[in-house]
Amino acid sequence: MSPHRRHASGSLGTGLRFGGCLDRYVAELFIGSYAVALLLVTGIFVIINLASNLDEYLRPGPDGVTPSGLLVVKLYAYQTPFLFLEVAPFVTLVGGLFTASRLMKNREVVAGLAAGISVRRLLLPIFLLGGLLGAGMFGFREWVAESLGERRDALVDYLVERRPEPVLENLWVKDLQGNPVRVDAFYPGVDGQAPRFEGLGATLRQGDRWTNVVAKRGTFDAKAGVWRLEQASREDVYAGEKTREKIEVLDGALFSPRDLRTAWKGRRHPTELSFEETLELLKRDPDSISWQTLLQSNLAFPFAHLVLLFVGLPFLLGHARSKGPSGGLWVFFFCLCYFGADFICRSLGLQGQLGPLMAAWLPILFFGSLGGVLFSSVRT
Amino acid sequence: MILQLYILRQLTITLAVFLGGIAFVIFPAVAVSAITRLGGVNVSVLLAYLPLAAMDLLPYLLPMGFLLAITAAYGRFAADNEWTAMQMARRNPYKLLLPAIFLALLFGAGTYYMMSTVRPAWKYEQRVFARTALINTFKDLNPGRTEIAIGDFYLNAARRPTRSTFAEVVVYLPGETDADDLKIVADLAKFRFTESELIVSFTNGRVVAGQLDISSEHTEYATPLDRIFADPRRKKEAGKYFTSAQLRERLADPEVMAGLSETRIAQYRYELQRRPAFACSFLLFVLFGAPIGLRLRKGTRLGAMSLAVGVAFVYYIGSLRLGKQLAEVAGVSADLAVWSTNGVGLVIGLVLVLRGLRR
């Protein structure tokens, strides 16, 4: 067998075994850079968030007592994963840039090229890990939203409002037929307490009839799956008081404690909704353009990791060491363009001026294609 | 001079990269905050709002970007052995900090001007803009939108026969107190606006909650816009909405002082001192950033920058808390207490520079 044919039997025609020494070396560099980039980027975010809010969190309450600093530390322990999710693609990009920069600085790219290994093959571990991180972000978002969100919101409520237990006020939730239900105050229940509400007003349209259900208080019975009501009644809106009847129980299918919390979150922190929460909101309001757009955005966002790598790395690779800073400027410019386009498309989608699919996926597809072209044109 | 200009040029380029990088990192947070605050407004309005929202973060972003740039630039000089070459050429290492100090003075002056003159007006303008944007969006809702929730106001309709009409509608109108809130269902609801009021015309309406006489088939109800959209003038007494010149005027005017609480006066005094103290952080960050960058040249620059972020963290926490603690617990005058973090930072920074640059 000729030497040329022997070499062609390796991975991607370079003779380089996938998962070999070089791949592991590049992967280790990336993991190390990613870890430090994570501290750096998330740290910047935490500092800015802290600087903007610390005074509010630590101001004395009406009783003159200042909350303990440990509570703020605890809050930021819950808050940091949410901050990280906002910047996760940047962290991947910064990690990738520093890895590539280090390879170039140590002339390892040149050595690789001299050995017949293309730049694309050399950086393959970065892209694979970037893709894995993007996929992982989806699951991470689901976990964070379910497990940390409620605890974080309870702490914020205490630090800002100084209430002994968290209260979600002026909630509007839709039942499965799309009828709006108002709850003046919802207490999610802490330390094993049952969730309860105050001030219910549900105006339900069934055919031509409007029915109004009001209740002063309600407590959720988890075993039976119903709300136990106090001072509650139901009446036909147009027929008036003569049709009023007392009721003591409200079916939990109308809305559950989870539905109330999800509805509140949809108004206050729509970008923190998990995929499952967005699906629940969509089930109750299938025509809502906002929920449809957010659902697609949840699916598209993890791809931003790969898109930024494809767009960012070619600028670094195409520049000699002394021109590194100008390459860096181009990276940030293009990445800013990507996020600008993502922001504009998402806003147009939330307004209904762009379809949800287009709004969520257009920036990914456009910049992903651009990144592909840029990367394929890197000299190697 | 050539060397100083070279260092200045490198610092400027690195600064541009880092400020661009920080802007690019912060952009999603600002955008998300804009979408959350002004959900449903036009893209052009959102884009116009972004600079106003970003202005809030500039006093924290600029010094941090400056610190990272100083750390990275001097770290690069050391890593490329340029620092060694400069020292071998018997250049005074402290004079090599002059370009950084020049930039620090420039940025410090700019930041002070921004915080004392520009930002207070923009902060108020931000609230006015948000309110106006929401009102205009309400006046010109996108076709097909059948649910609106703004503050305590809520509307849900089955469909929209015309741009300003909603069919099979549930409307919740906030009153002056909770007891005055109204909930009305109607076959049709039509909205129009005057300068200060929202007027709703109901066809075949019924009051579900609250007190309102709806006896005829067509009823009109007017509610002040201030009840739906928070009036920004209500909070305009806070120190952050006044320029430094206005704060000094207010503190010097006996009539105004007589009408202010002790807390408000203390807040004004604190705000007056906080602005120049904050602007001086650039100089402090030169004293921290250069030695950190030079010392950590052997490792990755990423590590040096992470340490720099830690320094910024400690500084911001210190500037927010130490001053107040000294004023409240130790009885130090608020004016002096604001500068305490800078004082401590100056001492530590000078020690770092003396030890770091001498090597």
Side-chain angles (χ1 to χ4, degrees):
Chain A
M1 188 190 291
S2 76
H4 299 294
R5 291 190 68 173
R6 256 207 308 275
H7 285 145
S9 64
S11 171
L12 298 179
T14 61
L16 194 63
R17 186 170 58 88
F18 184 72
C21 272
L22 189 57
D23 287 335
R24 289 199 304 273
Y25 172 71
V26 173
E28 276 167 22
L29 274 184
F30 177 70
I31 289 168
S33 298
Y34 185 89
V36 184
L38 176 67
L39 282 173
L40 180 66
V41 176
T42 314
I44 290 173
F45 248 68
V46 167
I47 287 171
I48 288 165
N49 194 284
L50 199 65
S52 306
N53 295 306
L54 189 63
D55 268 346
E56 175 70 19
Y57 293 155
L58 292 181
R59 66 176 164 78
D63 53 1
V65 173
T66 303
S68 152
L70 279 176
L71 276 180
V72 177
V73 171
K74 199 171 166 186
L75 170 65
Y76 276 92
Y78 293 146
Q79 178 79 321
T80 301
F82 290 96
L83 296 175
F84 165 65
L85 278 169
E86 283 186 39
V87 297
F90 304 105
V91 177
T92 304
L93 173 66
V94 171
L97 288 175
F98 273 95
T99 305
S101 169
R102 201 159 164 185
L103 289 171
M104 287 176 65
K105 181 184 152 191
N106 295 337
R107 296 179 177 81
E108 284 159 341
V109 173
V110 172
L113 289 173
I117 301 166
S118 74
V119 166
R120 290 187 277 274
R121 177 64 184 87
L122 190 65
L123 299 183
L124 182 63
I126 297 178
F127 289 96
L128 287 176
L129 286 171
L132 272 174
L133 283 164
M137 285 307 123
F138 186 86
F140 185 64
R141 180 197 288 272
E142 299 300 295
W143 174 76
V144 160
E146 297 294 331
S147 62
L148 295 182
E150 201 167 336
R151 283 184 259 179
R152 189 268 319 261
D153 293 333
L155 256 182
V156 170
D157 188 88
Y158 172 73
L159 288 171
V160 174
E161 305 291 343
R162 302 299 155 88
R163 293 188 277 227
E165 66 172 309
V167 184
L168 310 182
E169 292 172 310
N170 301 331
L171 298 181
W172 286 93
V173 66
K174 288 199 173 176
D175 70 359
L176 289 168
Q177 276 72 50
N179 294 303
V181 176
R182 177 183 162 91
V183 167
D184 289 340
F186 170 59
Y187 300 80
V190 292
D191 299 328
Q193 280 182 326
R196 66 190 196 282
F197 64 74
E198 287 175 2
L200 171 79
T203 312
L204 313 172
R205 188 175 178 95
Q206 287 145 341
D208 287 337
R209 287 179 58 212
W210 284 99
T211 305
N212 193 45
V213 175
V214 296
K216 190 158 184 192
R217 270 181 291 274
T219 307
F220 191 69
D221 181 344
K223 278 188 191 157
V226 298
W227 292 94
R228 305 267 174 217
L229 305 177
E230 295 172 40
Q231 297 179 48
S233 64
R234 178 189 0 237
E235 68 180 26
D236 184 308
V237 172
Y238 283 84
E241 283 184 25
K242 57 184 182 228
T243 61
R244 187 177 296 168
E245 54 171 316
K246 273 192 179 174
I247 53 173
E248 288 178 358
V249 162
L250 193 67
D251 190 354
L254 190 71
F255 60 89
S256 66
R258 184 184 162 86
D259 293 325
L260 287 174
R261 188 176 148 69
T262 305
W264 176 85
K265 199 172 167 184
R267 299 237 181 270
R268 292 292 186 96
H269 308 293
T271 53
E272 288 181 8
L273 288 169
S274 68
F275 187 75
E276 204 175 317
E277 286 168 340
T278 316
L279 274 178
E280 284 168 17
L281 287 168
L282 208 45
K283 197 165 69 174
R284 287 168 181 266
D285 196 0
D287 295 331
S288 168
I289 297 292
S290 300
W291 307 142
Q292 290 173 27
T293 304
L294 283 173
L295 192 79
Q296 292 300 325
S297 291
N298 266 346
L299 287 173
F301 195 66
F303 288 89
H305 294 252
L306 280 176
V307 167
L308 288 181
L309 284 174
F310 271 116
V311 170
L313 285 179
F315 287 102
L316 202 68
L317 295 169
H319 285 83
R321 218 158 51 137
S322 63
K323 291 189 181 155
S326 358
L329 275 174
W330 279 110
V331 170
F332 291 133
F333 172 72
F334 268 92
C335 292
L336 205 57
C337 288
Y338 165 74
F339 278 101
D342 181 62
F343 171 71
I344 290 171
C345 288
R346 200 191 316 183
S347 305
L348 289 173
L350 289 172
Q351 288 168 47
Q353 290 177 358
L354 202 58
L357 274 175
M358 285 280 276
W361 292 95
L362 187 62
I364 294 283
L365 292 173
F366 178 78
F367 282 88
S369 308
L370 176 67
V373 167
L374 286 171
F375 202 72
S376 63
S377 62
V378 167
R379 282 188 305 153
T380 181
Chain B
M1 193 62 183
I2 292 174
L3 188 57
Q4 304 284 17
L5 285 174
Y6 168 74
I7 295 173
L8 184 64
R9 194 167 57 245
Q10 293 300 312
L11 283 173
T12 308
I13 292 171
T14 312
L15 193 54
V17 169
F18 274 94
L19 288 178
I22 286 189
F24 137 84
V25 168
I26 283 304
F27 178 80
V30 174
V32 161
S33 153
I35 290 176
T36 305
R37 196 157 178 198
L38 301 179
V41 303
N42 284 331
V43 173
S44 54
V45 172
L46 274 172
L47 287 171
Y49 181 74
L50 285 180
L52 291 172
M55 177 61 76
D56 261 352
L57 301 176
L58 267 183
Y60 308 108
L61 292 180
L62 282 177
M64 201 178 328
F66 185 81
L67 173 61
L68 290 172
I70 296 290
T71 308
Y74 281 90
R76 195 182 70 72
F77 293 149
D80 292 346
N81 295 317
E82 288 174 354
W83 186 259
T84 307
M86 290 177 209
Q87 290 193 298
M88 292 301 289
R90 305 180 84 161
R91 297 288 179 179
N92 187 331
Y94 303 111
K95 283 190 177 172
L96 296 175
L97 286 184
L98 286 177
I101 292 171
F102 169 73
L103 283 176
L105 289 171
L106 204 62
F107 273 83
T111 300
Y112 177 68
Y113 175 73
M114 181 180 59
M115 288 184 76
S116 64
T117 310
V118 175
R119 191 167 174 246
W122 278 46
K123 230 175 155 47
Y124 181 69
E125 188 57 37
Q126 190 185 26
R127 294 170 64 88
V128 171
F129 184 95
R131 183 175 187 267
T132 310
L134 283 172
I135 291 175
N136 288 337
T137 300
F138 196 174
K139 287 180 181 178
D140 191 23
L141 278 175
N142 287 324
R145 191 162 168 197
T146 55
E147 188 184 22
I148 307 158
I150 300 173
D152 284 344
F153 175 86
Y154 181 82
L155 176 146
N156 185 67
R159 62 186 190 282
R160 282 176 71 175
T162 68
R163 208 173 170 89
S164 60
T165 316
F166 297 81
E168 295 168 37
V169 67
V170 176
V171 179
Y172 192 93
L173 294 158
E176 217 164 310
T177 63
D178 287 348
D180 299 325
D181 291 350
L182 280 178
K183 190 175 180 185
I184 299 170
V185 301
D187 289 342
L188 277 179
K190 189 168 181 176
F191 289 79
R192 60 188 175 88
F193 294 84
T194 64
E195 193 62 39
S196 58
E197 284 184 329
L198 162 69
I199 301 168
V200 192
S201 309
F202 295 105
T203 302
N204 203 18
R206 282 291 181 275
V207 176
V208 172
Q211 304 290 324
L212 180 70
D213 179 21
I214 296 189
S215 47
S216 63
E217 198 179 329
H218 299 283
T219 312
E220 265 195 6
Y221 179 79
T223 186
L225 286 173
D226 287 348
R227 234 178 254 161
I228 301 170
F229 305 98
D231 185 358
R233 284 168 298 181
R234 267 185 237 151
K235 280 196 175 177
K236 221 207 161 199
E237 286 301 307
K240 58 187 174 183
Y241 296 119
F242 292 104
T243 65
S244 294
Q246 287 169 336
L247 283 173
R248 279 187 217 105
E249 266 177 39
R250 289 175 78 83
L251 287 171
D253 189 337
E255 272 184 41
V256 172
M257 287 278 274
L260 294 174
S261 63
E262 288 292 325
T263 315
R264 188 64 82 197
I265 293 171
Q267 192 209 32
Y268 284 1
R269 289 210 165 103
Y270 180 81
E271 189 67 26
L272 262 179
Q273 294 299 327
R274 193 180 74 93
R275 291 167 182 177
F278 212 81
C280 290
S281 62
F282 289 92
L283 279 169
L284 277 182
F285 285 167
V286 170
L287 299 181
F288 282 110
I292 289 173
L294 291 169
R295 277 193 180 231
L296 294 183
R297 64 183 179 277
K298 289 257 186 265
T300 65
R301 253 167 276 155
L302 209 45
M305 286 192 282
S306 300
L307 182 59
V309 167
V311 165
F313 177 81
V314 170
Y315 173 78
Y316 284 131
I317 298 298
S319 68
L320 287 169
R321 302 310 308 159
L322 182 61
K324 283 198 172 159
Q325 291 293 318
L326 283 174
E328 287 165 16
V329 175
V332 175
S333 128
D335 296 352
L336 279 179
V338 169
W339 291 90
S340 55
T341 310
N342 283 13
V344 171
L346 180 65
V347 170
I348 297 173
L350 284 172
V351 169
L352 281 176
V353 162
L354 285 170
R355 295 185 66 175
L357 268 62
R358 205 165 49 192
R359 284 175 57 188

